[in-house]
Amino acid sequence: MSKNIPDTWYLPEELEIEPFVADLAEAFGVAVEQAGQHRRIFYDSFDWRLYRKKWLLECTEEGWRLCEYGSGRTRAALADISCQGPRFAWDFPDSSLQRLLHTALDVRCLLPLVTLDERRTRVRILNRDEKTVAFLYLEELHVQEGERVLRTVRLQGVRGYVKKYRAVRRFLEQYGINESASPHFEFEEGLKAVGRTPGDYSSKFTIRLDPAMTAGQAARTIFLQLLGVMERNLPGIFDDLDSEFLHDFRVAIRRTRTGLAQFKKVLPAETTALFKNEFAWLGRVTGPTRDLDVYLLYRDDYLARLPEVLQPGLDEFFQDLARRRQEEFKRLVRALQAPRYREIVSSWREYLQSDREEEPAAAGMPVTDFARQIIYRRYRRVMKDGRAITDRSPDESLHRLRIQCKKLRYALEFFTSLFPEEDMTRVIKQLKKLQNNLGDFNDLSVQQDMLRRHLAELRTGSRKNLQLAAALGGLLTNLYHEQERVRKRFATTFQRFGDSDNTALFKRLFADSRARGRQK
C-alpha cells in the first residue's frame, strides 16, 4: 500500500458498476458520493525535460501539481492557476513550482501531452460506528484524441484499519479485480492512445551504427535520422511554440551540411554539390529568426549587466527586436512552406532511401575505418589551428577554430557507437570544454557587433534614444571586458585539450587505422 498513491487495479470489462456497488454495500457499510467529472492534463516539454528528471506535471481544475514519477510524492503544487494560462516556467507566479520548472524547462514551453476526462465515484467504507475505514474510487477515464476508455478501482486505506483494508481487498479479488495498474497508468495509457512514447525525442544526437556497415550505408542512416529531426520540429516552428524547435531544426541542417562535406567521397559528386547548395539555402533562410530569438533571450542577462538607472533604456531596444523578429518569422514560414523546401526534403529522402549502385568506390569502405580517418583528420586540423593562435591573433582565428571544433564534434557524434563508450565520452567531454570557451568568445563578439549596428542606426535628438544609447554603451563596455576575460582563458583551455593524455587517447582510438589506410 503506497503512502502517496492508492493501490489501483483495472476493472474487468464485463463488470457492471451498479450491481458491484450494491454487493459492496451488503458486505460493508458504505456511503456513495455523487460521481464527479474532472479534466486532467499532463504536461511536459517536447523533449521530455520533466520526464528525464523523473517528474510528472499535472493540471486539474484545482491547480498544478508536480510529483515524482514512481513514488507520486508531491514536489510542488500551485492552486487556482488555470491550465490554459502558463506556457513557460516564467509564466507561473513566484513559487517553488515555478523555480523547479525553470531549472528543468529553461526556455522550452509546456505542451499538453495527455488530456483525460475523468468520471469518479468515491465510496467510503464504514464501520459499525459509521466511521470511514477505507476509500474506494471507481474511475472511468476517456483519453482525448483516442477511443480507449480506462476503468479502474483505487483502494486507499485509513491508518489504524489495516484489517478492513485487507477485507475490502479480498472482496475485490472475488470479482476478478486482480490486474494491477501502474502508479501513473493514466499518463502511460494516455500516451499510448495519442501515439507517444516517453523520451521519444531528444535534442541530443544519438545514433547506433552497425560496425558491419559500409561508409555509404552509414551515411544514409545518419542523414535519414537528421532529416527526421527536421521534420519532427517543423510543426513546432510553424506554431511558434518556443525557440528550440527552430534551434534543433537548424542544428540538424548544420550537421547535414557537415556530413555532406565529410562523406563527399562516399556520395556521388553531383548529389553532394546539389544538396550542399540546398542545405546552405536552408541555413540562410532560417538564420535571421534564430539570431533574433537568441537576442531576445538575452533580455534578463542584459538587464543584469547594467546599473538600474540604465535598464529602462533597453525597453525600446527589445520592443524593436520583437517587431523585427515577427517580420523575419513570417519570411521564414513562407520559405518553409514554399515548393523549394518540399522539393529538397522529398528528393533528399528519395535519394537516401534508394538503392543506387553508381556511388563512388569509397562508399564500400568499412564504416569504422572511414570514421577513424575522418575524426583523426579533423582532430589534427583543430590542433594545428589551435597551436597557431597567440595573444595577438585576430578574433577571426578563434572563430575559425570554433568551426573546426564543431566539425570534429559532429564527426565524433556520428560515429560514437563504433568506439568504446567510456573513451568517446571522455574525448567529447574534453572537446566540449574547448567549444564552450570558443562559443562564449564568439557569442560575445556577435552580440557586440549587433549592439554597435543598433547604436549606429539611432537617430539623435530624442530623450528615449539618448537613454537607449547610454544603455547600449554600458552593455558594450560590459561585454567587451567579459570577452577579454574569456580570451585570456583560451590558452589554458586549449592546452588542456591538447595535453598528453588526450592526445594519446585520440591516437589510440583513431590514428592507427588511418595509418593502415594510407598504406593500402
Side-chain angles (χ1 to χ4, degrees), residues 8-13 17 40 42 114-120 137-144 146-154 179 181-182 184-193:
T8 307
W9 299 269
Y10 291 108
L11 291 175
E13 288 186 11
I17 297 297
R40 302 171 63 185
F42 294 94
V114 175
T115 301
L116 299 160
D117 289 320
E118 177 187 84
R119 183 177 176 81
R120 171 185 285 191
Y137 299 93
L138 297 163
E139 298 167 332
E140 191 173 272
L141 297 108
H142 296 256
V143 182
Q144 283 194 0
E147 296 181 355
R148 186 171 182 191
V149 178
L150 304 171
R151 295 198 316 158
T152 60
V153 57
R154 294 177 188 254
E179 185 184 357
S182 78
H184 304 295
F185 75 95
E186 316 97 312
F187 175 68
E188 294 158 0
E189 296 295 335
L191 283 178
K192 289 180 187 174

Side-chain angles (χ1 to χ4, degrees), residues 399-455:
H399 173 66
R400 287 194 294 272
L401 179 61
R402 184 182 68 85
I403 300 298
Q404 292 303 325
C405 286
K406 189 170 286 188
K407 291 177 178 177
L408 173 59
R409 173 77 172 275
Y410 290 165
L412 288 166
E413 290 175 343
F414 287 161
F415 303 115
T416 288
S417 64
L418 301 173
F419 300 96
E421 182 178 351
E422 186 178 344
D423 288 339
M424 294 303 283
T425 300
R426 189 173 152 199
V427 297
I428 290 175
K429 182 179 178 181
Q430 292 297 329
L431 179 59
K432 281 174 71 175
K433 291 177 182 175
L434 179 57
Q435 283 188 283
N436 288 341
N437 175 264
L438 295 167
D440 289 346
F441 184 84
N442 184 66
D443 289 346
L444 290 162
S445 180
V446 170
Q447 289 177 62
Q448 290 175 75
D449 288 345
M450 180 269 295
L451 293 173
R452 277 193 288 267
R453 286 197 303 274
H454 203 93
L455 189 59

Side-chain angles (χ1 to χ4, degrees), residues 365 369 373 511-520:
M365 185 177 181
D369 289 350
Q373 287 189 10
D512 291 343
S513 176
R514 186 175 181 276
R516 286 196 300 272
R518 284 200 303 268
Q519 292 169 3
K520 289 180 180 178

Side-chain angles (χ1 to χ4, degrees), residues 165-221:
Y165 174 90
R166 291 173 179 163
V168 177
R169 177 69 194 106
R170 287 194 294 273
F171 177 87
L172 297 179
E173 288 173 347
Q174 291 171 9
Y175 278 80
I177 301 173
N178 294 308
E179 185 184 357
S180 294
S182 78
H184 304 295
F185 75 95
E186 316 97 312
F187 175 68
E188 294 158 0
E189 296 295 335
L191 283 178
K192 289 180 187 174
V194 298
R196 295 292 305 270
T197 305
D200 61 9
Y201 178 81
S202 171
S203 298
K204 185 179 178 182
F205 182 81
T206 55
I207 190 167
R208 183 151 294 280
L209 299 176
D210 185 341
M213 281 180 168
T214 64
Q217 291 168 330
R220 289 166 187 262
T221 304

Side-chain angles (χ1 to χ4, degrees), residues 179-464:
E179 185 184 357
S180 294
S182 78
H184 304 295
F185 75 95
E186 316 97 312
F187 175 68
E188 294 158 0
E189 296 295 335
L191 283 178
K192 289 180 187 174
V194 298
R196 295 292 305 270
T197 305
D200 61 9
Y201 178 81
S202 171
S203 298
K204 185 179 178 182
F205 182 81
T206 55
I207 190 167
R208 183 151 294 280
L209 299 176
D210 185 341
M213 281 180 168
T214 64
Q217 291 168 330
R220 289 166 187 262
T221 304
I222 291 167
F223 287 134
L224 275 172
Q225 179 157 322
L226 292 171
L227 185 57
V229 171
M230 290 173 58
E231 290 180 318
R232 287 205 65 177
N233 280 282
L234 198 60
I237 295 173
F238 287 152
D239 292 340
D240 205 13
L241 296 174
D242 67 40
S243 59
E244 296 308 284
F245 287 96
L246 179 58
H247 175 251
D248 286 5
F249 185 85
R250 279 178 52 78
V251 171
I253 292 171
R254 281 204 302 269
R255 285 193 169 115
T256 300
R257 294 176 65 189
T258 299
L260 283 167
Q262 292 174 344
F263 285 103
K264 63 183 179 183
K265 293 184 179 178
V266 172
L267 305 182
E270 62 274 16
T271 301
T272 300
L274 171 65
F275 287 104
K276 277 182 73 174
N277 182 60
E278 293 300 73
F279 280 96
W281 172 76
L282 275 173
R284 289 194 298 275
V285 299
T286 54
T289 304
R290 174 59 190 169
D291 289 346
L292 288 162
D293 280 343
V294 173
Y295 298 148
L296 286 166
L297 290 172
Y298 283 139
R299 184 186 180 94
D300 289 345
D301 176 64
Y302 280 3
L303 292 175
R305 290 175 185 273
L306 289 175
E308 193 171 340
V309 68
L310 293 180
Q311 291 177 4
L314 288 183
D315 290 345
E316 176 63 24
F317 171 71
F318 279 102
Q319 289 170 15
D320 180 57
L321 288 183
R323 283 193 294 270
R324 289 166 53 194
R325 195 267 179 193
Q326 286 307 310
E327 293 168 2
E328 290 296 343
F329 177 71
K330 291 177 183 174
R331 295 190 185 97
L332 167 67
V333 171
R334 282 198 295 272
L336 296 181
Q337 290 177 336
R340 182 173 181 178
Y341 174 75
R342 293 196 294 273
E343 174 60 23
I344 292 171
V345 170
S346 62
S347 58
W348 185 226
R349 181 176 292 282
E350 181 184 356
Y351 169 75
L352 296 174
Q353 293 179 334
S354 67
D355 187 20
R356 304 186 182 192
E357 298 179 353
E358 70 273 20
E359 290 181 332
M365 185 177 181
V367 64
T368 306
D369 289 350
F370 179 81
R372 286 191 170 111
Q373 287 189 10
I374 293 294
I375 292 172
Y376 199 61
R377 185 187 305 143
R378 289 290 172 203
Y379 168 73
R380 292 206 311 166
R381 176 67 186 272
V382 166
M383 293 305 299
K384 179 184 175 185
D385 288 2
R387 288 189 185 112
I389 294 175
T390 68
D391 293 342
R392 296 179 181 177
S393 297
D395 291 356
E396 289 73 21
S397 60
L398 279 87
H399 173 66
R400 287 194 294 272
L401 179 61
R402 184 182 68 85
I403 300 298
Q404 292 303 325
C405 286
K406 189 170 286 188
K407 291 177 178 177
L408 173 59
R409 173 77 172 275
Y410 290 165
L412 288 166
E413 290 175 343
F414 287 161
F415 303 115
T416 288
S417 64
L418 301 173
F419 300 96
E421 182 178 351
E422 186 178 344
D423 288 339
M424 294 303 283
T425 300
R426 189 173 152 199
V427 297
I428 290 175
K429 182 179 178 181
Q430 292 297 329
L431 179 59
K432 281 174 71 175
K433 291 177 182 175
L434 179 57
Q435 283 188 283
N436 288 341
N437 175 264
L438 295 167
D440 289 346
F441 184 84
N442 184 66
D443 289 346
L444 290 162
S445 180
V446 170
Q447 289 177 62
Q448 290 175 75
D449 288 345
M450 180 269 295
L451 293 173
R452 277 193 288 267
R453 286 197 303 274
H454 203 93
L455 189 59
E457 292 170 358
L458 278 183
R459 294 180 180 177
T460 57
S462 78
R463 181 181 179 81
K464 190 178 290 185

